[in-house]
Amino acid sequence: MSTHAATAPTAHSQKTPLLQSRLGSFLAVVPLSFWVVNHLWDNLAAWQGGQAWQSAVTQYKHPYAQALTFLIVMLPLLFHTGWGLVRIFSFKPNLGAYPYYGNVKYIVQRVAGLGVLAFLGAHIWLAFLQPRLVHGAAEPFAAIAYEMRWHTPTLIVYVLGVLGTAYHLANGIQGFAMGWGILSSERSMRRFEPWSIGIFLVLLAMGWGVLFAMFQAGGTEQIIQEREQIVRTRGDMH
C-alpha cells in the first residue's frame, strides 16, 4: 500500500508532461495547419483581382461564420502559444557543444516560433481586428496591396513572416509525427525529411506567391486610385 502511494504520483508526473506535449502539438498541427493552408489558398485569389480576393478572404456567407472562424483559430493558437513559450524559455541552447543537424533544427524552430508569434499578432490586429473594430469594415484589397508595393517595411515583415510560418509549420508536422509515435525510428525520420522540406517549399511558394500578386497589383493605377479614395473616406487604414 505504501509502495503504491509513493509510485502513483511519480507515474502521474511522468505522464502529465507527455499528455501536455501531445495536446500542445495536436492543437498546433490539426486546426492551425489546416487553417494556414486554407488561408494561403484563399489569398491566392489575389491573382484574380481585388474583388476575387475580398470574396475569398474577407467575406463570410453567414454572420456567425466570422466569429466562429476566429474562435476556432484563436483558442488553439493561444493554447499553443502558451505551451510553446513555456518550452522555449525552459530549454538551454547547446548548439556549440552539439552542432548537429537535428539540434540546429530544434533551435531554429524555437527562434522561428518567436518570430511567427510577433508576425501573427501584428497580422491579426492590422489585417483582421483593427479594420473591423476601428473602421467598421474588412480591410480592402487596395489598402493591403498598396502597402505591399509602397511601404517597404510591410513587405519585409510579410516576406519574413511567411518564411517563418512555413518553416515552423513544416518542421512542426515532423515533430508532431515523432511525438505521436508515427515516426518511431531513425530510419522513418530520415525518410520523412524530404517530405518535411517539400511541405516547407510548397507553403513558402504559396505565401510568397500571394505577396508577389499583391505587390504587382499595388503598382496599378486602379489600386492607387482606390487607395486614395479609401484614405479620403476612412482615413489611413494603418
Side-chain angles (χ1 to χ4, degrees), residues 69-85:
T69 301
F70 186 73
L71 289 176
I72 291 175
V73 173
M74 287 305 300
L75 291 180
L77 180 61
L78 290 174
F79 181 90
H80 178 64
T81 298
W83 171 75
L85 288 176

Side-chain angles (χ1 to χ4, degrees), residues 127-182:
F128 185 83
L129 291 176
Q130 186 189 54
R132 289 167 172 82
L133 297 177
V134 177
H135 303 284
E139 183 176 35
F141 178 78
I144 184 64
Y146 184 91
E147 293 292 320
M148 288 295 175
R149 181 76 181 209
W150 303 107
H151 191 244
T152 303
T154 296
L155 179 62
I156 293 175
V157 166
Y158 270 89
V159 167
L160 295 179
V162 169
L163 175 64
T165 301
Y167 177 85
H168 193 70
L169 180 54
N171 196 50
I173 292 175
Q174 186 175 26
F176 169 83
M178 293 168 58
W180 281 80
I182 301 172

Side-chain angles (χ1 to χ4, degrees), residues 47-231:
W47 287 97
Q48 301 172 14
Q51 186 57 47
W53 180 85
Q54 291 179 179
S55 177
V57 177
T58 66
Q59 295 180 7
Y60 294 85
K61 297 180 179 180
H62 194 278
Y64 294 107
Q66 178 176 308
L68 181 61
T69 301
F70 186 73
L71 289 176
I72 291 175
V73 173
M74 287 305 300
L75 291 180
L77 180 61
L78 290 174
F79 181 90
H80 178 64
T81 298
W83 171 75
L85 288 176
V86 170
R87 288 170 62 88
I88 287 174
F89 291 110
S90 64
F91 89 97
K92 297 180 180 180
N94 57 359
L95 186 60
Y98 303 98
Y100 304 124
Y101 175 67
N103 201 24
V104 171
K105 288 181 61 179
Y106 180 87
I107 293 176
V108 173
Q109 174 75 346
R110 275 136 189 82
V111 173
L114 290 175
V116 170
L117 176 61
F119 169 68
L120 287 181
H123 178 61
I124 290 172
W125 169 248
L126 293 174
F128 185 83
L129 291 176
Q130 186 189 54
R132 289 167 172 82
L133 297 177
V134 177
H135 303 284
E139 183 176 35
F141 178 78
I144 184 64
Y146 184 91
E147 293 292 320
M148 288 295 175
R149 181 76 181 209
W150 303 107
H151 191 244
T152 303
T154 296
L155 179 62
I156 293 175
V157 166
Y158 270 89
V159 167
L160 295 179
V162 169
L163 175 64
T165 301
Y167 177 85
H168 193 70
L169 180 54
N171 196 50
I173 292 175
Q174 186 175 26
F176 169 83
M178 293 168 58
W180 281 80
I182 301 172
L183 302 176
S184 57
S185 66
E186 184 177 350
R187 180 183 179 185
S188 63
M189 287 186 285
R190 287 199 306 267
R191 295 180 64 179
F192 188 81
E193 186 69 21
W195 288 97
S196 179
I197 295 173
I199 293 171
F200 165 69
L201 293 176
V202 169
L203 293 173
L204 187 63
M206 292 174 67
W208 282 0
V210 171
L211 300 184
F212 184 69
M214 291 183 172
F215 180 85
Q216 281 191 314
T220 62
E221 188 65 27
Q222 178 183 352
I223 292 296
I224 294 174
Q225 292 178 359
E226 290 181 6
R227 197 263 183 181
E228 291 176 352
Q229 180 64 28
I230 292 170
V231 172

